[in-house]
């Protein structure tokens, strides 16, 4: 079955960096678009960044543009989120997610949370001095 396991979260100071990883198994990773989403305390789920199945295109939410970079290593079945210049408002539980369709390499699919059929358990990121 599909498994998505996030790691790399923790406590960072404002302006600091963290690198999140998502280890994927149970499906052909290289065939599916993937994304990161987050949920801050008391708020709804927010899409953060997504990437095409072959890594050729990537998108980020305006709230993290210029600070977060998504990438993937299809040989290692791994999704990465590099987070720089962290802000307290980045504090959230970060989830890795898999698009449900093999036709997921479009901006409309990637940026729509209902497109995703599998989610990890999340990794906590806390930004505080």
């Amino acid at each position: 079955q599909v498994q998505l396991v996030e790691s790399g979260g923790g406590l960072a100071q404002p302006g600091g960096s963290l690198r999140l990883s998502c280890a994927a198994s149970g499906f052909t990773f290289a065939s599916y678009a993937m994304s990161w989403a987050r949920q801050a305390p008391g708020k709804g789920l927010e899409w953060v960044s997504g990437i095409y199945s072959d890594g050729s295109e990537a998108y980020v939410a305006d709230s993290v543009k210029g600070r977060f970079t998504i990438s993937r290593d299809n040989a290692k079945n791994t999704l990465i989120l590099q987070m720089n210049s962290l802000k307290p408002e980045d504090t959230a539980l970060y989830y890795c997610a898999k698009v449900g369709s093999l036709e997921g390499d479009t901006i409309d699919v990637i940026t729509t949370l209902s497109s995703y059929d599998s989610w990890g358990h999340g990794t906590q990121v806390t930004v505080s001095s």
Side-chain angles (χ1 to χ4, degrees):
Q1 71 278 21
V2 174
Q3 282 198 318
L4 301 170
V5 180
E6 302 94 338
S7 62
L11 177 64
Q13 292 191 337
S17 298
L18 285 173
R19 181 179 172 92
L20 305 185
S21 295
C22 172
S25 62
F27 65 103
T28 305
F29 181 73
S31 295
Y32 291 90
M34 300 286 295
S35 274
W36 291 94
R38 68 186 181 184
Q39 187 162 25
K43 296 190 177 181
L45 193 62
E46 176 191 16
W47 176 81
V48 173
S49 185
I51 188 167
Y52 281 5
S53 58
D54 63 358
S56 60
E57 292 285 342
Y59 303 95
V60 295
D62 288 343
S63 57
V64 304
K65 194 166 289 182
R67 302 187 297 119
F68 290 12
T69 303
I70 191 172
S71 61
R72 63 191 297 161
D73 185 338
N74 284 347
K76 295 182 178 179
N77 290 355
T78 300
L79 182 71
I80 301 292
L81 185 68
Q82 179 66 44
M83 307 187 297
N84 299 328
S85 303
L86 284 163
K87 303 176 180 181
E89 52 263 43
D90 294 320
T91 295
L93 189 59
Y94 283 72
Y95 297 95
C96 166
K98 167 191 165 290
V99 165
S101 168
L102 285 168
E103 308 298 326
D105 287 345
T106 72
I107 186 172
D108 288 341
V109 169
I110 281 182
T111 58
T112 303
L113 287 172
S114 61
S115 300
Y116 296 86
D117 68 349
S118 299
W119 298 79
H121 291 296
T123 185
Q124 178 66 40
V125 170
T126 302
V127 183
S128 174
S129 55

